[in-house]
C-alpha cells in the first residue's frame, strides 16, 4: 500500500498525528534462548491496532537501524477480543493486542510476552496450564448423555445473568499475569475459581459441586488468594472474579466443615 | 488410549462442528484424535453472537420445524438438497435443549423458560440466545464436555497442529492424515479409521473478512486437491455493513441504519477533507437519492450492491472502499440508549466516537455457503472422509439465513459422528497399518516444506496474499461480470506462478508463521480458482450470486449444484441436480401469505418503485426502468401460478437478504 493511498483512506488524521509508529519488541528465538529488544518503525496510519503493526513488520522485517531480522511471532485469531489468544504485555499492561490501538498508546510502544507462562517464541506463550486447571476443577456439567432428554432445568434470569458473566471468560490469562499470588503452580488462580462458581451455580452442576470444591481446597487452592484484587482490574471481560472467590471460599469452608463433621 | 474396540477417528477442527462430533464419538466409547490450529476454545465459532435457530415454539406462535425448514430452503433460493435441511430443522429444538442442559446461560423468560429472539423477516421467535455471545457460549459448552472426555481418556487433543493432507491408500480411501506441529514444524502421520473435516470457512481467501485468522480453507483445499469434491464454491455471503479495519472487517449491525443512520460519500471523487468539514451540499446520500421512499433502510442486498458500486466507481471516501454511515445528527443520549453496545465496538476498534465522527463502513465477506460435497450422512466422495460445519455445503443453498449456521454446525457434527463410527466398524483394516502409505505421505509433505525453505525468490508471500484478497474482493463478491471473473482467474494463475518464487522470510523456523502461511497460501489460491470459475460458469443470479448480465434466477438451467474436482491443473466443473422433492420451488415473494411482517417492508419498497435486482445500475422509478421486463424469469416462476411482476422480483430478493442479515442485526446490538 502506498503512503498516498493511506492518507486518502484516512481523512481524519489528527494534525498532531505522528508520522511513524515506533515499536519495541522483547524477543526470544526459542525457549531458553536469551531475550533481546528490537525496535521497529512503521509508517503511521490512523486506527492501527497492534496486530496490524505486527503484520506490517512481518511483511518486511527490518529493524529501525536497518538491520534485517526475523519476523516477530505472535498469536492471533478472532481479532475481536473474544478468543483471548493474542494477549501480551503492552506498555507494561497485560491486555489483548487486537483491541490495543496505537492512537491510544504512548510511543515507543513496548510489546512483551506474558511473564507467568512459558515463553515459546517472541510474543507467544504457552497457556496450556490454564486448560489443565479447567480439567482439574471439572469445569463442566455432568450430563447423563448428549442424547435427547428434553428441556433443561428452569432457571431464574437473575442467576442466568450472573452465570453469563462468568461464562464469558476467554482463558486469556490477564488475571493470572496480574495476580501477585500466581506464580508457576503456586496457586490455581482466579480464572479457574470463577469457572467453579459458574458450574456450581447451575442446578445440575450443583449436584457434583463437591468434586470441584475439593479441587480448589489444597495449599495452592482458593486460600492462596491474597485478595489483592488486581485480577478484576485487568480482566477484559469484566468478570466479577473477587465475587467468585468470595462465594467459593464460603462454599469450601462450609464443605470443609461438613466433611470434617462427617468424618 | 483405552478403547473398547480399537476404533480411532480423527477430527480436524475444534469449532462447534468438530467438538460436536468429538463429544458424540467419545460418548460411544471410541477414541478421538482432535486436531486444531488454535486451542479449540479459541476457534472461530466464538465470534458468533446473534443466536441459534430451533422451532421450539415457546411463544405460542405456531412455529414448527416444518416452517423452519421452509424458511431455510426458501431463503436459500432452492439450491439446497431438501432432505438434510428438513432433518436439521427437526433436530434443532433438541440441540437447543441439549445446550441448555450442558449449562449454556441462555436468556430466560420470567417463567424461567428459554427465551427466543425474533429475527427480522420471520414471524417466529426462533433463535435462542445467550446474551450477546451465543457462539462463544455454545462453543464453551462443547469444549467443556470434550474436556470431560479428555480427562476420561477418550479424546486426545492435538492443539497447535495443522492438518496438511490426507493419507490415502491405493484405492483412494482415507486412512488418516498428516499434520504439522506449528512449533517444531515436525510432520507426522496419524492413522485413523475415518477422518472428519470440520475446519470452518475460507474467508481469508478474500484477504480481509469478518472471519477469524485461521479461516483459510486450507485443509479443505488440501482435501479437494486430493480428490474430494467441492460444491457450490461460488456462493459467498457478503454483509453490507462491516467496519473496515487494517487487519480485519468487523460487523456493524444493521440497527445503526434502523435508528436513522445515513449513508453518504463526498460528491467529489477523492475528496480528502475530514467528514465534518464537507458541507451538506457536497455530500451524496446515494441511497436516499436513489431510493427516495426506502432510503438508507433499503433492503440488504441492494444496500450491499449500491455501496459496492459507488466505491467501484471511485466515489468511496478518498477513493477507498469505504462509505460513511453517519449517526452524528442524532443526539448522543438517544444513541447511547439505543445503540450503545455496537457503538462501543466501533469505538474500541476504530478509536473514533461514532456519536461525533461518521463511521466508515463497507460490505464484508462473511460466510461460505459452498464447501466440501457431502451426502446426507456428511460423507464426502472419498471413502473414510467426512465433513461437517461451515466447511460442508449441505444446508444453506445459495444463501444462509441468520442463526442457521450454528445449528447446522452442530447438526453436521451429530450426523458425521455416527456415520464415521458406522464406516469404521465395517472397514477392512488389515494390511494398512504396516504399509508405507504413511511414510510416503509424510515424505511428500516434507519435500514441499523443504522446497519452500530452500527456495530464495524475490516474491513476498504476504503481498501475494494481499493481491489475491483484493482481486477476489473486487471481482468475486457482490456483483460479478464474466469478463472480470475471467481476468481474476488469469490473475490467480499468475499468482500461483509467482508463488513458485516466494522465499520464506524467516530464518528462525521455530514457531514461525512463515512456513504455515506459505502452505495455506497455496491452498487458498487453488480454492480461489474454484470460487471464481464456479461464478464464471453460473450464468444466472441466485441468492448471494449476482450477475447484472443474468439478473434472474434460472431454475431450468441452473437449479443445480456446482461440483468442482481437481484435475491436477485446476478445477473441472460438473453439475448435479438438486433434490427438491419436499418443497416445490417457488417464486420468492415475501409480500404475500405467511410472511406478513415482510409484506409491510415490501409494500413500502413497492411504493419506492424498486426495480428488479440489478445492482447499482438500476434507476429505481417505475417509469424509468433500465431493464426490459424479463420473461424468462416469469416463465420459471409461473410454476406456482402467482402473478409475476418485475417489481416483485426486486421485493423478494430484498426480503431474502434481510433474512440473511438476521444474526448480525441481532448480534452486536443485543446488549442493548
Ligand atoms: C462475526 C460473525 C458472526 C456470526 N454470527 C453468527 C450467528 O449469530 N449465528 C449463526 O448461526 N452463525 C453465525 N456466524 C457463522 C458461524 O459463526 C460460523 O459459520 C461457525 O461458527 C463455523 O463453525 P465451524 O465449527 O464450522 O468452524 P470454526 O468454528 O471456524 O472452527 C474451525 C476449526 O478448525 C480448525 N482448523 C482449521 N484449519 C485447520 C487445519 N488445517 N488443521 C487443523 N485444524 C484446523 C480451527 O483451529 C478451528 O478449531 C457468524 C460468523 C461471523 C464471522
Ligand atoms: S484477588 Fe486473589 S486472585 Fe485476584 S489478584 Fe488478588 S490474589 Fe490474585
Ligand atoms: S477471568 Fe478474565 S482475565 Fe482471567 S482468563 Fe478469564 S477473561 Fe481473562
Ligand atoms: S485475536 Fe482473539 S482476542 Fe485478540
Amino acid at each position: 500500500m502506498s503512503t498516498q493511498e493511506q492518507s486518502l483512506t484516512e481523512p481524519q488524521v489528527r494534525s498532531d498525528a505522528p508520522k511513524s509508529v515506533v515499536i519495541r519488541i522483547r524477543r526470544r528465538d526459542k525457549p531458553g534462548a536469551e531475550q533481546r529488544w528490537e525496535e521497529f518503525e512503521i509508517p503511521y496510519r490512523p486506527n492501527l491496532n497492534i496486530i496490524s503493526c505486527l503484520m506490517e513488520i512481518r511483511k518486511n522485517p527490518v529493524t529501525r537501524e536497518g538491520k534485517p531480522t526475523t519476523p516477530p511471532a505472535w498469536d492471533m485469531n478472532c481479532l475481536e477480543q473474544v478468543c483471548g489468544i493474542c494477549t501480551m504485555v503492552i506498555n507494561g499492561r497485560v491486555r489483548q493486542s487486537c483491541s490495543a490501538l496505537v492512537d491510544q498508546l504512548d510511543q515507543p510502544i513496548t510489546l512483551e510476552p506474558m511473564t507467568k507462562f512459558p515463553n515459546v517464541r517472541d510474543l507467544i506463550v504457552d497457556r496450556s496450564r490454564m486448560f489443565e486447571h479447567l480439567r482439574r476443577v471439572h469445569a463442566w456439567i455432568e450430563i447423563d448423555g448428549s442424547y435427547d432428554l428434553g428441556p433443561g432445568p428452569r432457571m431464574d434470569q437473575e442467576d442466568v445473568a450472573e452465570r453469563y458473566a462468568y461464562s464469558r471468560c476467554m482463558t486469556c490469562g490477564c488475571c493470572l499475569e496480574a495476580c501477585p499470588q500466581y506464580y508457576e503452580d503456586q496457586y490455581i488462580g482466579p480464572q479457574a475459581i470463577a469457572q467453579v462458581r459458574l458450574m456450581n451455580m447451575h442446578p445440575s452442576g450443583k449436584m457434583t459441586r463437591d468434586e470441584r470444591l475439593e479441587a480448589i481446597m489444597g495449599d495452592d487452592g482458593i486460600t492462596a488468594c491474597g485478595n489483592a484484587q488486581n485480577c478484576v482490574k485487568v480482566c477484559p471481560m469484566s468478570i466479577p472474579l473477587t465475587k467468585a472467590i468470595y462465594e467459593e471460599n464460603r462454599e469450601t469452608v462450609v464443605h470443609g466443615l461438613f466433611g470434617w463433621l462427617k468424618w | 488410549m483405552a478403547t473398547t474396540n480399537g476404533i480411532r477417528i480423527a477430527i480436524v477442527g475444534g469449532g462447534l462442528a468438530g467438538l460436536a462430533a468429538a463429544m458424540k464419538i467419545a460418548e460411544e466409547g471410541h477414541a478421538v484424535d482432535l486436531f486444531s490450529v488454535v486451542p479449540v476454545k479459541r476457534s472461530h465459532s466464538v465470534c458468533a453472537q446473534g443466536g441459534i435457530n430451533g422451532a421450539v415454539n415457546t411463544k405460542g406462535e405456531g412455529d414448527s420445524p416444518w416452517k423452519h425448514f421452509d424458511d431455510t430452503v426458501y431463503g436459500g433460493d432452492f439450491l439446497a438438497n431438501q432432505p438434510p435441511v428438513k432433518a436439521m430443522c427437526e433436530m434443532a429444538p433438541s440441540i437447543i435443549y441439549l445446550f441448555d442442559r450442558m449449562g449454556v446461560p441462555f436468556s430466560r423468560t420470567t417463567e424461567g423458560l428459554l427465551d427466543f429472539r425474533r429475527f427480522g423477516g420471520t414471524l417466529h421467535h426462533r433463535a435462542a440466545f445467550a446474551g450477546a455471545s451465543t457462539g462463544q457460549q455454545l462453543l464453551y459448552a462443547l469444549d467443556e464436555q470434550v474436556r470431560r472426555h479428555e480427562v476420561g481418556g477418550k479424546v486426545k487433543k492435538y492443539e497447535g497442529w495443522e492438518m496438511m493432507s490426507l493419507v490415502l491408500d491405493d484405492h483412494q480411501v482415507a486412512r488418516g492424515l498428516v499434520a504439522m506441529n506449528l512449533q517444531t514444524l515436525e510432520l507426522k502421520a496419524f492413522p485413523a479409521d475415518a477422518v472428519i473435516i470440520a475446519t470452518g470457512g475460507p474467508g481469508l481467501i478474500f484477504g480481509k473478512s469478518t472471519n477469524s485468522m485461521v479461516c483459510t480453507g486450507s485443509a479443505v483445499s488440501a482435501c479437494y486437491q486430493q480428490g474430494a469434491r467441492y460444491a457450490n464454491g461460488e456462493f459467498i455471503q457478503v454483509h453490507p455493513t462491516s467496519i473496515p479495519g487494517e487487519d480485519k472487517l468487523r460487523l456493524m449491525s444493521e440497527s445503526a441504519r434502523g435508528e436513522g443512520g445515513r449513508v453518504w460519500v463526498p460528491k467529489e471523487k477523492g475528496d480528502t477533507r475530514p467528514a465534518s468539514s464537507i458541507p451538506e451540499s457536497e455530500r451524496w446520500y446515494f441511497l436516499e437519492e436513489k431510493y427516495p421512499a426506502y432510503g438508507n433502510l433499503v433492503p440488504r442486498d441492494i444496500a450491499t450492491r449500491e455501496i459496492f458500486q459507488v466505491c467501484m466507481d471511485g466515489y468511496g471516501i478518498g477513493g477507498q472502499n469505504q462509505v460513511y454511515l453517519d449517526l452524528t445528527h442524532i443526539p448522543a443520549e438517544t444513541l447511547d440508549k439505543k445503540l450503545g453496545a455496537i457503538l462501543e465496538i466501533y469505538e474500541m476498534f476504530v478509536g473514533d466516537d461514532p456519536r461525533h465522527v461518521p463511521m466508515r463502513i463497507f460490505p464484508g465477506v462473511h460466510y461460505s455457503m459452498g464447501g466440501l460435497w457431502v451426502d446426507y450422512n456428511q460423507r464426502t466422495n472419498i471413502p473414510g472422509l467426512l465433513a461437517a460445519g461451515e466447511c460442508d455445503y449441505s444446508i444453506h443453498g445459495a444463501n444462509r439465513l441468520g442463526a442457521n449456521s450454528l445449528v447446522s454446525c452442530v447438526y453436521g457434527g451429530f450426523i458425521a459422528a455416527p456415520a464415521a463410527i458406522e464406516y469404521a466398524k465395517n472397514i477392512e483394516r488389515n494390511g494398512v497399518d504396516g504399509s508405507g502409505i504413511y511414510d510416503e505421505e509424510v515424505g511428500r509433505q516434507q519435500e514441499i516444506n523443504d522446497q519452500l525453505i530452500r527456495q530464495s525468490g524475490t516474491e513476498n508471500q504476504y503481498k501475494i496474499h494481499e493481491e489475491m484478497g483484493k482481486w477476489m474482493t473486487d471481482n468475486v463478491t457482490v456483483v460479478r461480470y464474466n469478463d472480470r471473473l475471467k481476468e481474476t482467474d488469469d490473475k490467480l494463475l499468475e499468482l500461483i506462478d509467482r508463488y513458485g518464487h516466494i522465499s520464506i522470510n524467516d530464518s528462525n523456523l521455530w514457531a514461525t508463521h512463515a512456513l504455515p502461511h506459505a502452505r495455506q497460501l497455496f491452498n487458498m489460491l487453488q480454492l480461489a480458482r474454484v470460487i471464481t470459475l464456479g461464478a464464471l460458469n453460473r450464468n444466472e443470479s441466485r441468492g448471494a450470486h449476482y450477475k447484472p448480465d443474468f439478473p434472474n434466477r434460472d431454475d431450468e438451467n441452473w437449479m443445480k449444484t456446482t461440483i468442482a474436482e481437481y484435475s491436477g491443473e485446476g478445477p473441472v466443473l460438473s453439475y448435479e441436480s438438486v433434490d427438491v422433492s419436499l418443497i416445490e420451488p417457488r417464486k420468492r415473494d415475501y409480500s404475500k401469505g405467511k410472511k406478513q411482517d415482510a409484506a409491510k417492508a415490501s409494500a413500502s419498497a413497492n411504493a419506492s418503485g424498486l426495480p428488479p435486482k440489478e445492482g447499482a445500475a438500476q434507476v429505481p422509478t417505475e417509469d424509468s426502468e433500465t431493464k426490459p421486463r424479463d420473461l424468462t424469469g416469469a416463465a420459471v416462476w409461473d410454476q406456482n401460478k402467482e402473478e409475476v411482476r418485475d417489481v416483485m422480483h426486486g421485493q423478494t430478493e430484498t426480503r431474502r437478504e434481510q433474512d440473511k442479515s438476521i444474526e448480525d442485526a441481532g448480534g452486536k446490538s443485543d446488549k442493548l
Side-chain angles (χ1 to χ4, degrees):
Chain A
M1 256 179 277
S2 74
T3 35
Q4 189 208 358
E5 251 184 2
Q6 284 139 22
S7 67
L8 290 177
T9 332
E10 308 300 344
Q12 293 140 23
V13 181
R14 302 182 324 225
S15 51
D16 61 338
K19 290 225 163 9
S20 63
V21 185
V22 177
I23 297 184
R24 305 185 69 219
I25 303 177
R26 195 197 272 273
R27 307 201 51 182
R28 193 200 298 270
D29 287 342
K30 47 171 60 90
E34 286 292 299
Q35 281 190 321
R36 64 176 192 282
W37 286 98
E38 268 179 5
E39 203 163 276
F40 299 88
E41 184 168 7
I42 59 163
Y44 172 84
R45 300 194 296 271
N47 305 341
L48 281 175
N49 60 1
I50 293 300
I51 299 264
S52 319
C53 297
L54 289 167
M55 285 173 160
E56 190 63 33
I57 294 169
R58 165 174 89 169
K59 254 189 263 174
N60 185 23
V62 176
T63 65
R64 208 177 174 194
E65 301 84 52
K67 192 173 90 107
T69 182
T70 52
W74 74 97
D75 273 329
M76 61 177 163
N77 196 26
C78 72
L79 305 185
E80 297 190 354
Q81 201 190 289
V82 65
C83 80
I85 204 170
C86 67
T87 312
M88 58 183 76
V89 178
I90 301 171
N91 282 358
R93 194 183 139 213
V94 66
R95 56 187 300 190
Q96 279 67 53
S97 52
C98 64
S99 54
L101 302 175
V102 166
D103 287 336
Q104 294 165 3
L105 293 166
D106 290 333
Q107 289 205 35
I109 298 167
T110 59
L111 306 182
E112 297 169 86
M114 295 162 94
T115 58
K116 300 281 179 81
F117 304 98
N119 188 193
V120 174
R121 170 179 169 177
D122 298 337
L123 301 166
I124 301 176
V125 293
D126 178 356
R127 278 165 287 184
S128 41
R129 199 184 282 160
M130 295 182 76
F131 297 109
E132 177 52 48
H133 293 155
L134 294 178
R135 287 195 281 273
R136 169 172 151 192
V137 303
H138 289 206
W140 54 75
I141 304 292
E142 302 265 346
I143 55 167
D144 288 345
S146 66
Y147 31 86
D148 188 3
L149 289 173
R154 289 193 182 195
M155 270 176 258
D156 187 331
Q157 175 60 29
E158 233 169 84
D159 293 341
V160 170
E162 189 182 342
R163 292 193 68 245
Y164 179 72
Y166 298 123
S167 73
R168 297 229 56 201
C169 171
M170 57 181 178
T171 330
C172 67
C174 286
C175 54
L176 302 186
E177 180 73 15
C179 170
Q181 301 303 112
Y182 183 82
Y183 199 73
E184 300 202 322
D185 267 336
Q186 305 291 317
Y187 168 38
I188 190 161
Q191 159 252 357
I193 296 170
Q195 294 306 297
V196 169
R197 176 83 188 133
L198 170 67
M199 298 302 157
N200 284 1
M201 276 190 79
H202 188 271
S204 320
K206 268 196 187 102
M207 299 174 193
T208 50
R209 118 186 117 171
D210 291 0
E211 286 172 23
R212 291 183 209 103
L213 293 178
E214 268 151 37
I216 56 168
M217 279 176 69
D219 283 349
D220 62 345
I222 196 160
T223 50
C225 168
N227 198 25
Q229 313 239 348
N230 290 8
C231 51
V232 250
K233 287 181 203 140
V234 295
C235 175
M237 304 308 247
S238 311
I239 294 169
L241 293 167
T242 37
K243 180 169 192 324
I245 293 168
Y246 170 80
E247 297 285 356
E248 289 317 300
N249 200 21
R250 229 175 32 137
E251 275 203 293
T252 50
V253 170
V254 172
H255 173 86
L257 211 61
F258 180 66
W260 178 80
L261 280 178
K262 256 204 312 200
W263 181 76
Chain B
M1 191 157 301
T3 52
T4 46
N5 46 22
I7 288 181
R8 174 172 297 276
I9 291 168
I11 299 177
V12 188
L16 273 188
L19 292 178
M23 176 178 73
K24 283 286 183 192
I25 294 168
E27 195 172 277
E28 291 299 312
H30 307 297
V32 174
D33 286 339
L34 178 58
F35 298 84
S36 178
V37 172
V38 292
V40 295
K41 198 178 175 183
R42 309 193 191 282
S43 294
H44 170 63
S45 291
V46 294
C47 289
Q49 303 183 328
I52 176 168
N53 276 340
V56 175
N57 192 32
T58 52
K59 305 269 175 183
E61 299 167 333
D63 196 10
S64 67
W66 181 272
K67 286 181 178 162
H68 183 192
F69 168 44
D70 187 73
D71 284 348
T72 304
V73 164
Y74 188 68
D77 228 349
F78 293 93
L79 194 63
N81 288 319
Q82 295 175 358
V85 181
K86 177 161 175 281
M88 176 190 85
C89 297
E90 282 166 353
M91 193 194 276
S94 68
I95 288 175
I96 292 173
Y97 286 151
L98 171 62
F99 276 99
D100 187 28
R101 287 173 44 229
M102 294 192 301
V104 168
F106 282 123
S107 298
R108 303 277 152 170
T109 65
T110 38
E111 221 183 303
L113 295 169
L114 294 179
D115 199 3
F116 283 77
R117 161 181 287 162
R118 184 173 152 200
F119 279 38
T122 172
L123 282 175
H124 304 288
H125 289 72
R126 188 182 289 149
F129 59 101
S133 59
T134 311
Q136 186 190 18
Q137 305 309 326
L138 298 181
L139 185 84
Y140 289 1
L142 285 176
D143 175 62
E144 288 151 11
Q145 293 302 320
V146 169
R147 183 165 296 107
R148 180 182 170 199
H149 290 298
E150 196 186 3
V151 170
K154 289 285 178 263
V155 174
K156 175 131 180 57
K157 283 185 191 153
Y158 292 88
E159 294 171 323
W161 286 77
E162 178 158 4
M163 172 188 150
M164 294 286 115
S165 64
L166 298 167
V167 176
L168 300 175
D169 70 12
D170 296 344
H171 306 286
Q172 276 285 108
V173 174
R175 297 293 190 173
L177 56 92
V178 170
M180 179 162 76
N181 181 313
L182 293 171
Q183 282 184 17
T184 61
L185 300 192
E186 176 201 2
L187 287 162
K188 195 166 179 294
F190 295 88
D193 300 314
V195 178
I196 300 175
I197 301 286
T199 52
L204 273 265
I205 287 179
F206 294 81
K208 291 186 269 186
S209 72
T210 62
N211 291 9
S212 298
M213 298 307 286
V214 294
C215 301
T216 58
S218 180
V220 161
S221 175
C223 295
Y224 150 75
Q225 291 168 64
Q226 288 184 288
R229 301 158 123 215
Y230 195 86
N232 287 342
E234 65 269 32
F235 290 93
I236 298 287
Q237 184 169 78
V238 182
H239 188 286
T241 61
S242 67
I243 309 165
E246 288 286 335
D247 50 344
K248 89 170 276 194
L249 311 172
R250 300 176 178 91
L251 279 185
M252 173 45 60
S253 165
E254 199 163 62
S255 52
R257 280 175 290 141
E259 296 301 335
R262 301 178 76 187
V263 175
W264 63 276
V265 289
K267 275 189 179 160
E268 194 181 322
K269 282 188 191 182
D271 194 331
T272 56
R273 287 174 295 174
S276 55
S277 53
I278 299 179
E280 198 63 23
S281 61
E282 291 171 40
R283 299 176 175 194
W284 181 24
Y285 294 95
F286 56 94
L287 289 175
E288 295 171 30
E289 185 183 305
K290 290 187 178 180
Y291 304 95
Y294 228 55
N296 296 290
L297 276 178
V298 67
R300 185 171 289 218
D301 65 331
I302 295 188
T304 295
R305 285 184 206 120
E306 289 289 0
I307 293 168
F308 195 79
Q309 194 61 48
V310 156
C311 294
M312 291 304 112
D313 292 345
Y315 285 97
I317 305 166
Q320 296 294 295
N321 287 339
Q322 297 182 3
V323 302
Y324 288 120
L325 172 52
D326 198 341
L327 294 165
T328 58
H329 54 286
I330 303 169
E333 317 107 69
T334 315
L335 290 177
D336 282 337
K337 224 183 298 149
K338 300 204 167 159
L339 298 172
I342 60 168
L343 301 189
E344 274 160 30
I345 285 168
Y346 188 84
E347 226 175 330
M348 166 151 71
F349 285 100
V350 181
D352 288 343
D353 181 353
R355 295 165 197 85
H356 306 294
V357 180
M359 295 187 282
R360 282 170 290 165
I361 56 102
F362 191 68
V365 168
H366 188 48
Y367 184 86
S368 172
M369 275 71 71
L372 287 172
W373 180 92
V374 290
D375 67 10
Y376 298 169
N377 284 310
Q378 306 291 139
R379 296 177 297 208
T380 73
N381 60 307
I382 295 180
L385 181 69
L386 300 91
E390 187 171 339
C391 72
D392 93 57
Y393 90 112
S394 59
I395 300 292
H396 308 289
N399 170 58
R400 170 175 73 88
L401 295 191
N404 254 355
S405 173
L406 298 178
V407 67
S408 71
C409 288
V410 177
Y411 167 81
F414 281 5
I415 298 296
I421 294 169
E422 188 58 30
Y423 172 85
K425 279 183 179 158
N426 294 313
I427 47 162
E428 183 66 62
R429 250 176 282 172
N430 290 346
V432 173
D433 276 343
S435 77
I437 54 173
Y438 298 103
D439 293 343
E440 242 169 68
E441 188 54 34
V442 169
R444 201 171 74 90
Q445 295 305 320
Q446 190 65 57
E447 180 44 43
I448 300 173
N449 283 2
D450 291 346
Q451 172 61 31
L452 280 167
I453 292 165
R454 241 186 345 254
Q455 72 191 39
S456 58
T458 52
E459 293 286 351
N460 184 314
Q461 57 167 323
Y462 299 107
K463 291 189 177 142
I464 292 182
H465 190 169
E466 266 176 23
E467 270 187 65
M468 168 178 69
K470 184 164 173 14
W471 274 78
M472 292 299 290
T473 302
D474 286 353
N475 303 306
V476 201
T477 50
V478 185
V479 183
R480 295 161 170 190
Y481 296 96
N482 283 346
D483 51 349
R484 297 202 204 157
L485 291 167
K486 180 75 187 66
E487 278 168 44
T488 305
D489 189 53
D490 292 343
K491 183 69 187 184
L492 291 170
L493 287 169
E494 178 206 309
L495 292 176
I496 289 171
D497 190 50
R498 281 166 52 195
Y499 176 88
H501 306 286
I502 61 169
S503 59
I504 301 296
N505 70 348
D506 196 353
S507 58
N508 177 7
L509 293 177
W510 171 262
T512 181
H513 293 169
L515 185 75
H517 182 269
R519 295 296 309 261
Q520 293 156 6
L521 179 60
F522 183 81
N523 289 337
M524 285 191 273
L525 285 162
Q526 296 297 339
L527 204 55
R529 293 200 68 207
V530 172
I531 296 168
T532 306
L533 292 174
L536 176 61
N537 246 29
R538 183 176 285 272
N539 282 332
E540 67 159 349
S541 292
R542 179 189 298 270
H545 171 74
Y546 170 65
K547 282 186 176 177
D549 299 332
F550 304 91
N552 296 310
R553 191 174 98 187
D554 176 359
D555 281 357
E556 206 171 326
N557 294 304
W558 289 106
M559 200 165 64
K560 285 176 187 150
T561 301
T562 306
I563 310 270
E565 283 168 288
Y566 187 65
S567 69
E569 305 260 298
V572 175
L573 302 180
S574 60
Y575 294 87
E576 188 183 80
S577 61
V578 177
D579 182 342
V580 290
S581 55
L582 299 167
I583 299 175
E584 197 186 337
R586 63 186 191 275
K587 171 192 165 191
R588 294 160 51 88
D589 179 356
Y590 286 84
S591 69
K592 289 184 189 140
K594 59 173 186 158
K595 309 267 176 184
Q596 282 145 31
D597 60 331
K600 264 188 255 148
S602 283
S604 57
N606 224 347
S608 79
L610 280 174
K613 69 170 188 180
E614 277 189 89
Q618 58 197 309
V619 180
T621 49
E622 271 155 358
D623 45 5
S624 64
E625 276 182 33
T626 53
K627 201 189 140 288
R629 290 178 181 265
D630 192 318
L631 297 175
T632 331
V636 173
W637 285 331
D638 77 355
Q639 302 178 24
N640 65 346
K641 303 276 184 289
E642 281 188 30
E643 189 195 355
V644 176
R645 289 183 295 147
D646 268 2
V647 167
M648 293 322 302
H649 187 182
Q651 308 323 300
T652 55
E653 296 304 320
T654 57
R655 286 314 300 170
R656 164 187 30 96
E657 290 294 321
Q658 290 202 329
D659 264 5
K660 103 180 168 185
S661 74
I662 292 167
E663 103 267 8
D664 314 317
K668 310 243 177 196
S669 60
D670 69 2
K671 286 189 207 134
L672 300 180

